[in-house]
Amino acid sequence: DAGVIQSPRHEVTEMGQEVTLRCKPISGHDYLFWYRQTMMRGLELLIYFNNNVPIDDSGMPEDRFSAKMPNASFSTLKIQPSEPRDSAVYFCASSFTQGWGETQYFGPGTRLLVL
Amino acid sequence: ILNVEQSPQSLHVQEGDSTNFTCSFPSSNFYALHWYRWETAKSPEALFVMTLNGDEKKKGRISATLNTKEGYSYLYIKGSQPEDSATYLCARQASGSRLTFGEGTQLTVNP
Protein backbone atom coordinates (compact mmCIF):
# COMPACT_ATOMS: atom_id res chain seq x y z
CA ASP A 1 0.00 0.00 0.00
CA ALA A 2 1.19 3.52 -0.76
CA GLY A 3 0.30 4.78 2.68
CA VAL A 4 -1.70 7.90 3.40
CA ILE A 5 -1.46 10.32 0.49
CA GLN A 6 -1.77 14.06 0.90
CA SER A 7 -1.78 16.84 -1.65
CA PRO A 8 -0.45 19.35 -2.19
CA ARG A 9 2.77 18.87 -0.23
CA HIS A 10 3.36 22.60 -0.11
CA GLU A 11 0.95 25.48 -0.53
CA VAL A 12 1.68 29.18 -0.51
CA THR A 13 -1.30 31.49 -0.74
CA GLU A 14 -2.35 34.99 0.10
CA MET A 15 -4.55 36.00 2.95
CA GLY A 16 -8.21 35.77 2.05
CA GLN A 17 -7.81 33.01 -0.48
CA GLU A 18 -9.50 29.62 -0.21
CA VAL A 19 -7.22 26.68 0.49
CA THR A 20 -8.18 23.04 -0.03
CA LEU A 21 -6.07 20.22 1.35
CA ARG A 22 -6.66 16.66 0.19
CA CYS A 23 -6.15 13.26 1.73
CA LYS A 24 -6.45 9.68 0.55
CA PRO A 25 -6.39 7.25 3.49
CA ILE A 26 -4.97 3.76 3.43
CA SER A 27 -7.37 1.42 1.66
CA GLY A 28 -9.58 -0.42 4.12
CA HIS A 29 -9.08 2.04 6.95
CA ASP A 30 -12.32 3.31 8.39
CA TYR A 31 -11.02 6.20 10.50
CA LEU A 32 -9.55 9.39 9.13
CA PHE A 33 -7.99 12.18 11.18
CA TRP A 34 -6.91 15.72 10.36
CA TYR A 35 -4.16 17.25 12.52
CA ARG A 36 -2.40 20.59 12.55
CA GLN A 37 1.15 21.08 13.76
CA THR A 38 2.41 24.47 14.90
CA MET A 39 5.31 25.58 17.04
CA MET A 40 2.97 27.09 19.60
CA ARG A 41 0.44 24.29 19.98
CA GLY A 42 2.29 21.19 18.83
CA LEU A 43 0.28 18.46 17.12
CA GLU A 44 -3.43 18.96 17.63
CA LEU A 45 -6.42 17.05 16.33
CA LEU A 46 -8.84 19.09 14.25
CA ILE A 47 -11.48 16.54 13.28
CA TYR A 48 -11.92 12.84 12.70
CA PHE A 49 -14.28 10.69 10.68
CA ASN A 50 -15.50 7.13 11.07
CA ASN A 51 -16.97 5.49 7.98
CA ASN A 52 -17.07 8.90 6.29
CA VAL A 53 -19.09 10.48 9.13
CA PRO A 54 -17.58 13.29 11.23
CA ILE A 55 -17.37 12.09 14.82
CA ASP A 56 -15.50 14.79 16.67
CA ASP A 57 -14.90 18.25 15.23
CA SER A 58 -14.25 19.98 18.51
CA GLY A 59 -10.72 20.80 17.44
CA MET A 60 -11.74 22.76 14.37
CA PRO A 61 -10.62 26.29 15.21
CA GLU A 62 -13.47 28.30 13.73
CA ASP A 63 -16.04 28.51 10.99
CA ARG A 64 -13.41 29.24 8.41
CA PHE A 65 -12.40 25.60 8.60
CA SER A 66 -14.49 22.80 7.16
CA ALA A 67 -13.81 19.15 6.39
CA LYS A 68 -15.63 16.61 4.28
CA MET A 69 -15.30 12.95 3.51
CA PRO A 70 -17.53 12.17 0.53
CA ASN A 71 -16.33 8.58 0.29
CA ALA A 72 -14.03 6.10 1.98
CA SER A 73 -11.02 7.04 -0.12
CA PHE A 74 -11.05 10.82 -0.06
CA SER A 75 -11.26 13.71 2.37
CA THR A 76 -10.74 17.45 2.13
CA LEU A 77 -9.93 20.15 4.64
CA LYS A 78 -10.90 23.60 3.45
CA ILE A 79 -9.95 26.98 4.86
CA GLN A 80 -11.96 29.93 3.59
CA PRO A 81 -10.86 32.67 3.93
CA SER A 82 -7.29 31.83 4.91
CA GLU A 83 -5.32 33.94 7.37
CA PRO A 84 -1.58 34.13 8.15
CA ARG A 85 -2.16 32.41 11.52
CA ASP A 86 -3.35 29.33 9.62
CA SER A 87 0.22 28.74 8.47
CA ALA A 88 1.16 25.29 9.73
CA VAL A 89 1.76 21.72 8.65
CA TYR A 90 -1.50 19.81 8.22
CA PHE A 91 -1.36 16.06 8.60
CA CYS A 92 -3.92 13.48 7.64
CA ALA A 93 -3.86 10.08 9.34
CA SER A 94 -5.92 6.92 9.03
CA SER A 95 -6.52 3.82 11.09
CA PHE A 96 -8.57 0.65 11.07
CA THR A 97 -11.41 -0.12 13.47
CA GLN A 98 -10.20 2.07 16.27
CA GLY A 99 -11.04 0.48 19.55
CA TRP A 100 -8.37 0.58 22.10
CA GLY A 101 -4.99 1.21 20.72
CA GLU A 102 -5.05 0.90 16.96
CA THR A 103 -2.15 2.72 15.34
CA GLN A 104 -2.76 5.86 13.34
CA TYR A 105 -0.74 6.09 10.13
CA PHE A 106 0.25 9.58 9.14
CA GLY A 107 0.59 11.08 5.69
CA PRO A 108 3.55 13.26 4.69
CA GLY A 109 1.71 16.47 5.54
CA THR A 110 0.89 19.65 3.68
CA ARG A 111 3.00 22.66 4.59
CA LEU A 112 0.78 25.72 4.30
CA LEU A 113 2.05 29.27 4.25
CA VAL A 114 -0.47 32.09 4.18
CA LEU A 115 1.06 35.45 3.35
CA ILE B 1 -1.76 15.80 35.51
CA LEU B 2 -4.26 17.49 33.23
CA ASN B 3 -2.41 17.17 29.95
CA VAL B 4 0.13 14.89 28.36
CA GLU B 5 3.56 16.03 29.46
CA GLN B 6 6.92 14.84 28.22
CA SER B 7 10.34 15.31 29.69
CA PRO B 8 12.95 16.29 29.00
CA GLN B 9 12.05 18.69 26.21
CA SER B 10 15.36 17.99 24.50
CA LEU B 11 18.28 15.70 25.02
CA HIS B 12 21.76 15.44 23.57
CA VAL B 13 23.64 12.18 23.99
CA GLN B 14 26.75 10.57 22.56
CA GLU B 15 26.62 7.63 20.22
CA GLY B 16 26.49 4.45 22.27
CA ASP B 17 24.82 6.04 25.29
CA SER B 18 21.56 4.62 26.56
CA THR B 19 18.81 7.08 27.33
CA ASN B 20 15.21 7.32 28.43
CA PHE B 21 12.37 9.81 28.40
CA THR B 22 9.15 10.17 30.32
CA CYS B 23 5.54 10.67 29.31
CA SER B 24 3.05 11.64 32.02
CA PHE B 25 -0.67 11.63 31.41
CA PRO B 26 -4.01 11.74 33.25
CA SER B 27 -4.64 8.24 34.58
CA SER B 28 -8.42 8.57 34.57
CA ASN B 29 -10.43 7.41 31.58
CA PHE B 30 -7.37 5.80 30.03
CA TYR B 31 -7.58 3.55 26.96
CA ALA B 32 -4.14 3.46 25.37
CA LEU B 33 -0.77 5.15 25.21
CA HIS B 34 0.95 5.62 21.86
CA TRP B 35 4.60 6.38 21.12
CA TYR B 36 5.63 7.92 17.81
CA ARG B 37 8.99 8.75 16.29
CA TRP B 38 9.09 11.92 14.22
CA GLU B 39 12.06 12.81 12.06
CA THR B 40 12.45 16.32 10.75
CA ALA B 41 10.57 16.94 7.49
CA LYS B 42 8.85 13.56 7.73
CA SER B 43 5.60 12.35 9.25
CA PRO B 44 5.18 10.72 12.67
CA GLU B 45 5.88 7.00 12.59
CA ALA B 46 4.23 4.67 15.10
CA LEU B 47 6.53 2.87 17.52
CA PHE B 48 4.29 1.31 20.15
CA VAL B 49 0.74 1.16 21.39
CA MET B 50 0.20 0.01 24.96
CA THR B 51 -3.07 -0.55 26.75
CA LEU B 52 -2.53 -2.56 29.92
CA ASN B 53 -0.87 -1.54 33.15
CA GLY B 54 2.56 -3.10 33.24
CA ASP B 55 2.76 -3.47 29.47
CA GLU B 56 6.25 -3.58 28.05
CA LYS B 57 6.97 -3.36 24.34
CA LYS B 58 10.27 -3.68 22.50
CA LYS B 59 11.42 -3.00 18.95
CA GLY B 60 15.11 -3.51 18.42
CA ARG B 61 17.02 -1.18 20.73
CA ILE B 62 13.89 0.75 21.71
CA SER B 63 11.54 -0.34 24.46
CA ALA B 64 8.69 1.19 26.43
CA THR B 65 6.86 0.56 29.68
CA LEU B 66 3.46 1.66 30.91
CA ASN B 67 2.03 2.44 34.33
CA THR B 68 -1.62 3.34 34.00
CA LYS B 69 -2.28 3.62 37.72
CA GLU B 70 0.17 6.45 38.22
CA GLY B 71 -0.08 7.76 34.67
CA TYR B 72 3.36 7.48 33.13
CA SER B 73 5.28 5.70 30.41
CA TYR B 74 9.01 5.44 29.82
CA LEU B 75 10.73 5.08 26.47
CA TYR B 76 14.21 3.60 26.52
CA ILE B 77 16.83 3.60 23.79
CA LYS B 78 19.80 1.31 24.31
CA GLY B 79 23.08 2.16 22.61
CA SER B 80 21.86 5.31 20.83
CA GLN B 81 22.87 5.78 17.21
CA PRO B 82 22.87 9.01 15.15
CA GLU B 83 19.91 7.67 13.16
CA ASP B 84 17.88 7.64 16.39
CA SER B 85 17.92 11.44 16.31
CA ALA B 86 14.29 12.50 16.12
CA THR B 87 11.45 13.86 18.19
CA TYR B 88 9.70 11.19 20.23
CA LEU B 89 6.03 11.88 20.82
CA CYS B 90 3.67 10.17 23.18
CA ALA B 91 -0.11 10.40 22.89
CA ARG B 92 -2.84 9.38 25.27
CA GLN B 93 -6.02 7.84 23.96
CA ALA B 94 -9.04 8.30 26.18
CA SER B 95 -12.62 7.65 25.18
CA GLY B 96 -13.30 7.47 21.49
CA SER B 97 -10.45 7.72 19.04
CA ARG B 98 -9.02 11.10 19.94
CA LEU B 99 -5.27 11.17 20.66
CA THR B 100 -3.83 13.92 22.82
CA PHE B 101 -0.18 14.41 22.04
CA GLY B 102 2.59 15.67 24.24
CA GLU B 103 5.06 18.21 22.93
CA GLY B 104 7.71 15.59 22.42
CA THR B 105 11.28 14.96 23.44
CA GLN B 106 13.81 16.03 20.84
CA LEU B 107 16.74 13.61 20.85
CA THR B 108 20.06 14.39 19.21
CA VAL B 109 22.67 11.64 19.09
CA ASN B 110 26.15 12.95 18.39
CA PRO B 111 28.57 10.66 16.54
Side-chain angles (χ1 to χ4, degrees):
Chain A
D1 199 310
V4 176
I5 299 172
Q6 291 186 246
S7 64
R9 294 291 304 277
H10 302 271
E11 177 82 20
V12 180
T13 191
E14 293 187 344
M15 183 173 65
Q17 296 298 305
E18 178 179 295
V19 175
T20 300
L21 311 181
R22 296 173 177 80
C23 175
K24 175 178 168 52
I26 293 172
S27 177
H29 282 193
D30 54 353
Y31 281 82
L32 184 140
F33 306 82
W34 281 102
Y35 289 91
R36 179 172 66 176
Q37 188 245 339
T38 62
M39 289 293 292
M40 294 298 293
R41 299 173 67 92
L43 192 61
E44 55 179 342
L45 179 67
L46 300 177
I47 185 172
Y48 76 88
F49 296 82
N50 175 223
N51 291 322
N52 314 337
V53 176
I55 303 299
D56 183 350
D57 65 355
S58 58
M60 294 286 265
E62 50 198 272
D63 292 346
R64 297 184 299 107
F65 285 69
S66 62
K68 293 182 180 179
M69 192 166 184
N71 57 63
S73 59
F74 183 66
S75 176
T76 59
L77 178 68
K78 187 174 294 186
I79 308 172
Q80 167 63 17
S82 58
E83 296 182 2
R85 60 192 169 116
D86 301 330
S87 298
V89 182
Y90 291 82
F91 287 100
C92 176
S94 70
S95 70
F96 175 71
T97 313
Q98 193 88 343
W100 293 351
E102 275 76 10
T103 296
Q104 293 184 15
Y105 295 87
F106 282 76
T110 294
R111 189 174 296 274
L112 174 65
L113 178 61
V114 183
L115 302 174
Chain B
I1 299 289
L2 296 178
N3 296 309
V4 178
E5 298 175 359
Q6 293 188 245
S7 63
Q9 190 172 20
S10 65
L11 192 55
H12 292 252
V13 301
Q14 290 298 123
E15 183 175 355
D17 287 350
S18 293
T19 187
N20 64 85
F21 343 120
T22 304
C23 174
S24 302
F25 52 87
S27 55
S28 61
N29 198 26
F30 172 87
Y31 280 7
L33 193 285
H34 300 245
W35 280 100
Y36 283 84
R37 180 175 180 274
W38 195 359
E39 288 184 69
T40 302
K42 294 187 178 180
S43 54
E45 175 189 352
L47 286 174
F48 306 114
V49 180
M50 295 180 288
T51 57
L52 299 176
N53 185 46
D55 255 357
E56 292 188 27
K57 293 286 179 78
K58 185 175 181 181
K59 182 184 291 188
R61 294 179 291 100
I62 305 177
S63 60
T65 61
L66 178 66
N67 183 320
T68 61
K69 295 187 185 303
E70 297 182 40
Y72 65 84
S73 174
Y74 294 137
L75 187 80
Y76 301 91
I77 302 178
K78 183 178 178 181
S80 302
Q81 299 296 309
E83 57 264 32
D84 296 329
S85 298
T87 296
Y88 291 83
L89 292 171
C90 71
R92 169 182 173 265
Q93 181 181 357
S95 59
S97 299
R98 169 179 286 274
L99 294 186
T100 302
F101 282 86
E103 294 190 356
T105 293
Q106 186 173 359
L107 173 68
T108 303
V109 182
N110 300 309

